Amino acid sequence: MNLGSALGNMMAQAANTASWWKPMQASSHAVAVDTLFNFIMYLCFFFFVLIVGAMVYFIVKYRRKGSGPERTSPIKGNHTLEIVWSVIPGILLVLIFAWGFKDWLAIAVVPANAMEVRVSGQKWNWTFTYPKDGIVSPDLVVPAGQTVKLVMTSTDVLHSFYIPDYRIKRDVIPGKYTVLWFKPEEEATHQIFCTEYCGAEHSNMLSKVKVMSSAKYEEWIANGGEEAGGAGVPLAEKGKKLWEQRGCVACHSIDGSKKVGPTWKGAFGTARQFADGSSLPAADENYMRESILVPNAKVVAGYPGVMPSYQGQLNDKQIEALIEFMKSLK
Amino acid sequence: MESNRKNVPQGAHAATAGGAEPNYINAHKGIWSWMTTVDHKRLGLMYLVGVLGFFAVGGIFALLVRTQLLGPIFKGASGKQEWLFSGETYNKLFTLHGAVMVFLVIIPSIPASLGNFFLPLMLGAKDVAFPKLNLMSFYVYILGGAFLLFSIFTGAVDTGWTFYTPYSSTTSTSVVSAVLGVFILGFSSILTGVNFIVTIHKMRAPGLTWVRLPLFVWAQYATSLIQVLATPVLAITLMLLAIERTIGVGIFDPKLGGDPVLFQHFFWFYSHPAVYIMILPAFGVISEIITINSRKQIFGYKAIAMSSVAIAVIGFLVWGHHMFTSGQSELAAAVFSFLTFAVAVPTAIKTFSWVATMYGGSLRMNSAMWYAQAFLFLFTIGGLTGLFLGTLSVDIHLHDTYFVVAHFHYVMMGGTMTAFVGALHHWWPKMTGRMLNEFWGKVSCFFVFAGFNIAFFSQFVLGTKGMPRRYANYLPEFQYLHQISTIGSYLLGLGFFITLCYMIQSLINGEKAPPNPWGGRSLEWETDSPPIEHNFHHQPVVTHGPYEFPEIDHSQAPRGGH
Ligand code: HEM
Ligand SMILES: [Cu+2]
Ligand SMILES: [Cu+2]
C-alpha cells in the first residue's frame, strides 16, 4: 500500500501536502529529487529482497538437521556469477550517479532573472535583507512564481540553510558567500531549519518562507516589511514577536530570571552599573538603542560581553518596537 | 606428554586438554604481571575489557540522548518546553556519546581486542612482532581515553565528534582536552597498525602462504594499512586546531584569517578512511563465522581478500562526499560522488559472496551465526542507504538529517558492533576456556536485532521528512517517530544487558570449552582453550587452506576454484 502511494507520488506533479514520510513538494526540483529518491529506493528493495531472501532460503534449506553425515558442496567460487554480480550493480551505480549529477547541476546553476535576497546566519537566528528595498526581515517573504536567489553568509560559526519543502540546503559560512536558489510555485508557508550544528540553541534556529501573491508582496514591501494588517498591532506586541524571532529570547528572559544576559523585566528606567566602573542613573531609550547596536560600548557589570551587535540587522522601527516591549515589562 | 603430541595441523589436539601446562591466564599471577605483560593475548583481553567498559559509558550517554528526545515539543520560543536537559547539556551528551563510541569503542574494538588476541594465533606465531610496542599502545589508549573523559570534569565538549571549526575554535568548552585525547588515541591506533603489518609479513608459520591466510587476517591487514596512512592526518589536524585555540594562530577561524572548510577536508580525509577502519575487521569476522558454520569453502576467496584492499585504497579518495553542501566546486563534487559509487561495488561483491557461501552448506545456527545473519541483514540496509547519500541531488536533501544518522548507525552499530558481538560469541571459548549459554545468546541476539531496527529504521523516515540532526528539541510532527526510536533503543540496551549477564555467568560456572568447539581449520583452533602462554607446543606447519573442512564432499565435481 505504501509502495503504491509512493508510486503515485512518483507519477504526480508537485504534491502540496506533506505525506507521512516526505515533506511537501513545493518546487519542480523537489519533484525531481523525489523521483530519483524513489528510483533508488525500488532498486534497494530489489537488492535487499534478493540478498536477505537468499539468506533466509539458505538458512531454511541448508540448516543442519538431525545427526546424519554432513556433506557439503565443494564450490569455491564461480567466475561467471562473480562477473555478473559486479558488472550489473556497476552499471546501475553509474546510472544513479549520472542522474543525480544532472539534477544537481540544475540546483547549482542559478537562473539569470532571479530576485536577490541576502541571508545572514547568526547564533541563533536568520536575517533576510532585501537590498533593493532596504528591508530587513526575520522571515523570508517572496512572491509566488518569482525565482529567488539567496546570497548567504554567517557572522559567527557555520550554519546551514535548509528548506525541506524545496529539498535544498547549503552551508552558510563566515567570511564567504554561498548561493542557493529556488522558485516558489504557490502561496504557502515553508519551514526553514539550520542543519549545521551551531551550539546551544541550534534546534531553535528556525524561520519561515512566506510565499505571497505578487500583490501582497508589493504591499509588504511598501509597508517596509510589515504584513498587511500589521498597522493595528501595538508596538510592544511587535517587540515581543521580534524578541522571539530574533533570538533575544536565548539570552534575555522577561520573567526576572538570569540567563546569559540580564532580564528585561524592570530593565527600563532603572539604574545600571557597568563593568568599567561607570554607571547610569536610569536606563533610557538611547542607552537601550546603543546596547543593541554597539553592545560592548557599555557592558553591564556581572555579565560577559558576548552580546552580538545587531547593526544592520534591525531597522529603526524594529528597535523602537523592542524598546517599547522592554518598557511594558514592569 | 610431549611424545604423543603430533603437531600436524590436522590433529585436533585433544591431547593437550589435560591442562598440564598453565595457560596464559594463570601462567603468572598478580595484578603486576598483567600491568607489565607483553603477551598479546593478555593485552587483547585488557583491550576487550577497556572497550566494553567504554561501550557501557557511551551506551549510557546514548540512552540519555534518546530519553531527551521522547519529550520536548517546540512551542514557539516563549512557551518553549524544556524536558530533562537544556540545549547545552544535550549537546555535550551527544558529543560525548559520539566521541566515545567512535574513538574509544568502534575503532579499537575488533582490531585491538580480537586482532591482538587472534592474529598471532592465526599466523602460528608466538606473539606480535613488537610485543613491547604492543604494551605501550595499550597504555597510550588508556591515556587517550582518560584525557577524553577528563574533559567531562572540566566542562565537557559540545562540538560534536566532528569538531567542526570555527565553532570548535570559539566555544568555551574544554575542546583542547578532548582533542588531545583523540590525538593520543591516534598514536595507539598507528602503533597497533604498524605492529600488525610487520607481524603479518614476517611471522607466518611455515606453509602459511598469503592465499592460505584466514580472511580475518586479510581484513586486519587492510585495516592496518589505513590506520598507518590516515591517522597521522587526523593527528595533525587536531594539533592545528589546538594550536589555533591556545595561541591564536589563524588556521581555520575566519576571524583570524583562516578557512573553516579546510578543516572539513582534513577531517574527512582521515574520517572517511576511518569508517573502513571500523568496518573491514567486521568483514573479516563475518567471513570466518559464516564459513566455519557452513562447513564450506568461502565463495570467492580472492575476490573477498582483494576487495578489502580495493576498498582501503579507493576509500582514500571519497572524503568529499561529506561536503556536498559546503560549497566545494562542481567538478570536485562530481568526482567524489562517482568514486563513492565505485567503492560500493567491492562492498556489494563481499555481501553476495557471504550469502553464496551458505549455498550447499550444512549450517550450524549457533548464536555467533545468528549474529552473523543479523549483520548481513543490517549491513545490507546500511550499505544500500549509502547510495542515497552518494547521489548528489538526493544528498542535498538528506545531508545532516536523521537519514545520515540512521545510515551510519546501520553500518557502525548494525555492522561493526553486531559483528564484534558475534565474534565474541565465536571466540569466547578460545579466549576464556568456557562456553557461552547458547539459548540466552539467541535471546539477546533477538532483542538486539529487533531493538536496533525499531530504533534506527524510524530515523530513516525522520530524515526523509526533513528532521535535522543534533537537535535538542523538534517540531511536533516529528514526535511519534522519535518516540518509536527511543523505545527501540531501550530494547537494544536490554539485549546488550542480557549479553553481559550470560558472559559473566559463563566466567563463573560456564561449561568447559574443548580446544576446537566449532571444528575450525585455522591455527587458533589447534592450541588449547585457553591457549598456553607461548601459544603452541611446537611450531605449527600449515598444509591446507583455512576453510578445508572434512565435511566438504570432494566426490562432487569441484567447481570454480581460485
Ligand atoms: C556502500 C557503502 C557506503 C556508502 C556509499 C556510503 C556513503 C556515505 C555518504 C555519501 C555519507 C555522507 C552523507 C552526508 O553527510 O550527507 C556517509 C556518511 C557516513 N557514513 Fe557511509 N557509506 C557507506 C558505508 C559506510 C560504512 C561501511 C561506514 C562505517 C562503518 C559508514 C559510516 C558513515 C558515517 C560515520 C557517516 C557520517 C558521519 C557524520 O556526518 O557524522 N558508511 N556515508
Ligand atoms: Cu545551527
Ligand atoms: Cu564517508
Side-chain angles (χ1 to χ4, degrees):
Chain A
M1 190 208 87
N2 293 330
L3 211 114
S5 68
L7 225 130
N9 242 355
M10 196 170 152
M11 303 298 156
Q13 302 294 306
N16 52 11
T17 51
S19 72
W20 66 274
W21 65 301
K22 284 217 185 100
M24 84 168 66
Q25 297 173 316
S27 67
S28 56
H29 176 62
V31 179
V33 168
D34 286 1
T35 309
L36 179 52
F37 183 103
N38 290 342
F39 174 75
I40 302 174
M41 189 178 67
Y42 297 130
L43 266 185
C44 288
F45 276 150
F46 173 77
F47 279 101
F48 179 76
V49 169
L50 192 75
I51 293 170
V52 173
M55 175 186 122
V56 171
Y57 176 72
F58 291 162
I59 292 176
V60 172
K61 176 137 189 240
Y62 297 115
R63 209 149 71 103
R64 188 169 179 204
K65 302 163 197 98
S67 52
E70 294 178 71
R71 303 312 283 162
T72 64
S73 153
I75 293 179
K76 285 172 149 186
N78 181 320
H79 284 304
T80 322
L81 196 57
E82 285 172 60
I83 289 168
V84 167
W85 75 35
S86 314
V87 170
I88 291 181
I91 293 171
L92 290 170
L93 292 175
V94 170
L95 178 73
I96 298 175
F97 159 74
W99 187 344
F101 181 56
K102 174 185 127 295
D103 283 353
W104 178 74
L105 275 185
I107 335 169
V109 181
V110 188
N113 60 345
M115 161 183 134
E116 197 173 303
V117 180
R118 303 206 163 248
V119 181
S120 162
Q122 177 173 23
K123 286 182 201 168
W124 291 279
N125 58 74
W126 300 103
T127 308
F128 301 94
T129 312
Y130 294 71
K132 250 190 20 234
D133 308 293
I135 289 174
V136 180
S137 164
D139 288 316
L140 177 55
V141 178
V142 292
Q146 166 70 54
T147 306
V148 180
K149 174 182 175 186
L150 304 176
V151 179
M152 312 189 290
T153 191
S154 160
T155 61
D156 41 39
V157 298
L158 297 177
H159 302 280
S160 188
F161 189 85
Y162 177 36
I163 308 173
D165 290 349
Y166 296 135
R167 315 284 190 272
I168 55 172
K169 179 183 292 134
R170 197 83 196 230
D171 292 1
V172 177
I173 303 168
K176 201 167 162 176
Y177 293 101
T178 50
V179 173
L180 201 57
W181 74 273
F182 62 93
K183 188 174 175 198
E185 309 280 358
E186 284 169 41
E187 287 176 50
T189 304
H190 306 293
Q191 186 66 47
I192 298 170
F193 292 109
C194 172
T195 49
E196 185 62 68
Y197 172 71
C198 59
E201 301 290 326
H202 168 53
S203 47
N204 293 332
M205 190 165 161
L206 307 173
S207 223
K208 291 264 162 57
V209 187
K210 292 185 179 156
V211 187
M212 299 177 170
S213 66
S214 9
K216 271 209 197 126
Y217 175 75
E218 292 306 331
E219 200 182 329
W220 182 80
I221 293 282
N223 272 340
E226 299 276 344
E227 273 176 62
V233 179
L235 213 50
E237 207 146 293
K238 282 185 194 160
K240 177 168 190 191
K241 224 170 141 196
L242 286 167
W243 167 71
E244 286 176 6
Q245 289 175 335
R246 305 313 311 270
C248 317
V249 59
C251 301
H252 295 289
S253 79
I254 53 170
D255 60 1
S257 62
K258 186 174 163 176
K259 287 179 143 183
V260 180
T263 184
W264 284 357
K265 189 180 163 114
F268 195 87
T270 50
R272 282 291 180 292
Q273 272 299 321
F274 299 114
D276 61 5
S278 61
S279 62
L280 194 71
D284 59 2
E285 279 93 344
N286 281 327
Y287 164 70
M288 291 300 187
R289 187 183 163 84
E290 185 191 51
S291 292
I292 295 170
L293 297 178
V294 200
N296 286 343
K298 298 195 183 74
V299 176
V300 183
Y303 290 92
V306 296
M307 159 126 178
S309 162
Y310 287 86
Q311 186 86 53
Q313 306 195 15
L314 292 170
N315 59 26
D316 287 352
K317 269 192 183 163
Q318 291 168 322
I319 294 177
E320 231 168 81
L322 277 163
I323 296 176
E324 207 52 41
F325 174 52
M326 288 180 214
K327 280 188 193 167
S328 73
L329 299 165
K330 293 274 154 44
Chain B
M1 274 301 274
E2 213 64 78
S3 60
N4 63 9
R5 266 200 303 269
K6 290 183 293 171
N7 255 303
V8 278
Q10 267 90 348
H13 249 297
T16 54
E21 202 173 327
N23 62 42
Y24 77 101
I25 297 173
N26 58 22
H28 301 278
K29 295 230 158 47
I31 182 91
W32 190 243
S33 78
W34 283 87
M35 288 179 57
T36 57
T37 184
V38 290
D39 183 344
H40 67 99
K41 300 182 290 302
R42 284 184 159 209
L43 284 168
L45 214 56
M46 284 151 69
Y47 268 117
L48 182 62
V49 172
V51 165
L52 293 179
F54 288 128
F55 184 53
V57 173
I60 289 167
F61 288 134
L63 292 178
L64 291 175
V65 164
R66 281 301 341 153
T67 305
Q68 161 88 352
L69 294 175
L70 272 179
I73 301 182
F74 184 80
K75 291 189 172 164
S78 55
K80 190 174 75 190
Q81 197 173 306
E82 248 173 29
W83 146 265
L84 219 56
F85 303 120
S86 66
E88 284 97 340
T89 313
Y90 177 83
N91 295 341
K92 289 174 182 171
L93 283 173
F94 81 67
T95 301
L96 283 166
H97 162 68
V100 167
M101 286 302 197
V102 169
F103 298 113
L104 289 172
V105 179
I106 299 220
I107 289 181
S109 62
I110 299 179
S113 65
L114 301 173
N116 253 319
F117 200 106
F118 287 104
L119 199 70
L121 286 172
M122 287 179 169
L123 296 175
K126 272 193 181 157
D127 207 317
V128 290
F130 307 115
K132 285 185 187 141
L133 196 65
N134 207 14
L135 177 65
M136 180 171 140
S137 54
F138 175 75
Y139 280 107
V140 172
Y141 169 68
I142 295 297
L143 185 72
F147 262 95
L148 192 53
L149 292 185
F150 174 73
S151 71
I152 298 177
F153 302 102
T154 55
V157 213
D158 69 342
T159 59
W161 76 280
T162 46
F163 301 110
Y164 270 18
T165 52
Y167 189 79
S168 58
S169 20
T170 52
T171 174
S172 59
T173 55
S174 62
V175 175
V176 173
S177 158
V179 159
L180 217 58
V182 174
F183 177 80
I184 296 170
L185 286 167
F187 278 97
S188 168
S189 195
I190 294 171
L191 296 181
T192 304
V194 170
N195 217 338
F196 284 4
I197 292 175
V198 178
T199 308
I200 295 169
H201 270 279
K202 290 290 170 201
M203 304 192 55
R204 304 192 307 276
L208 189 54
T209 56
W210 285 91
V211 290
R212 284 182 182 163
L213 286 177
L215 286 163
F216 182 73
V217 176
W218 269 107
Q220 285 296 346
Y221 186 72
T223 308
S224 302
L225 281 181
I226 310 178
Q227 278 177 316
V228 171
L229 294 176
T231 318
V233 179
L234 176 73
I236 293 167
T237 310
L238 296 179
M239 212 57 211
L240 290 176
L241 175 57
I243 289 174
E244 179 170 276
R245 272 189 74 95
T246 47
I247 54 177
V249 178
I251 300 161
F252 304 122
D253 185 351
K255 290 225 168 64
L256 304 172
D259 178 359
V261 180
L262 182 66
F263 178 87
Q264 297 177 27
H265 281 290
F266 285 173
F267 182 83
W268 290 114
F269 185 83
Y270 164 76
S271 290
H272 184 84
V275 308
Y276 293 110
I277 297 178
M278 305 177 205
I279 197 68
L280 285 173
F283 289 170
V285 163
I286 296 304
S287 300
E288 297 298 319
I289 296 179
I290 288 188
T291 44
I292 215 170
N293 290 311
S294 301
R295 317 305 300 154
K296 271 193 64 204
Q297 291 277 6
I298 187 101
F299 191 97
Y301 177 94
K302 276 189 187 151
I304 292 193
M306 284 307 134
S307 60
S308 287
V309 180
I311 287 172
V313 173
I314 313 174
F316 272 99
L317 305 174
V318 302
W319 77 90
H321 67 208
H322 297 271
M323 301 168 59
F324 287 152
T325 65
S326 73
Q328 63 185 344
S329 81
E330 278 82 24
L331 179 67
V335 171
F336 284 128
S337 171
F338 186 82
L339 289 172
T340 300
F341 285 109
V343 207
V345 176
T347 314
I349 292 175
K350 278 179 186 280
T351 313
F352 292 136
S353 301
W354 289 318
V355 174
T357 299
M358 300 199 294
Y359 169 81
S362 168
L363 308 188
R364 172 175 47 220
M365 295 303 295
N366 59 11
S367 35
M369 190 70 160
W370 275 48
Y371 270 102
Q373 305 300 326
F375 169 94
L376 282 183
F377 185 103
L378 301 176
F379 182 74
T380 301
I381 296 180
L384 287 173
T385 51
L387 303 181
F388 293 81
L389 300 175
T391 307
L392 281 164
S393 62
V394 178
D395 182 64
I396 299 301
H397 172 46
L398 298 175
H399 175 66
D400 267 344
T401 67
Y402 265 77
F403 195 97
V404 175
V405 178
H407 158 71
F408 69 70
H409 280 89
Y410 264 86
V411 282
M412 304 204 316
M413 173 89 223
T416 308
M417 281 316 283
T418 310
F420 179 52
V421 177
L424 276 183
H425 286 75
H426 184 61
W427 280 306
W428 185 268
K430 180 57 65 186
M431 298 176 83
T432 65
R434 305 276 185 168
M435 301 300 284
L436 282 175
N437 185 309
E438 279 295 314
F439 171 77
W440 285 105
K442 289 169 190 171
V443 172
S444 88
C445 181
F446 173 80
F447 276 106
V448 168
F449 179 75
F452 179 86
N453 279 302
I454 296 170
F456 291 102
F457 203 85
S458 46
Q459 298 187 358
F460 282 124
V461 183
L462 273 172
T464 311
K465 267 171 88 77
M467 168 79 206
R469 67 192 280 203
R470 297 177 171 172
Y471 266 31
N473 56 27
Y474 45 75
L475 301 177
E477 69 247 39
F478 297 120
Q479 189 172 32
Y480 75 99
L481 286 162
H482 272 298
Q483 291 180 335
I484 293 174
S485 176
T486 300
I487 292 168
S489 73
Y490 294 157
L491 286 177
L492 181 58
L494 177 66
F496 283 123
F497 183 72
I498 296 174
T499 314
L500 179 70
C501 291
Y502 64 73
M503 284 187 170
I504 292 173
Q505 175 269 332
S506 157
L507 291 179
I508 296 168
N509 63 359
E511 189 190 324
K512 283 252 183 316
N516 192 356
W518 318 124
R521 297 303 309 277
S522 42
L523 290 173
E524 82 269 28
W525 301 110
E526 293 190 3
T527 180
D528 307 353
S529 294
I532 57 169
E533 191 182 2
H534 296 293
N535 292 355
F536 299 96
H537 296 277
H538 292 283
Q539 172 63 56
V541 176
V542 180
T543 56
H544 57 76
Y547 310 116
E548 288 176 13
F549 301 107
E551 290 86 347
I552 296 172
D553 184 1
H554 290 286
S555 64
Q556 295 180 32
R559 280 196 285 142
H562 283 281

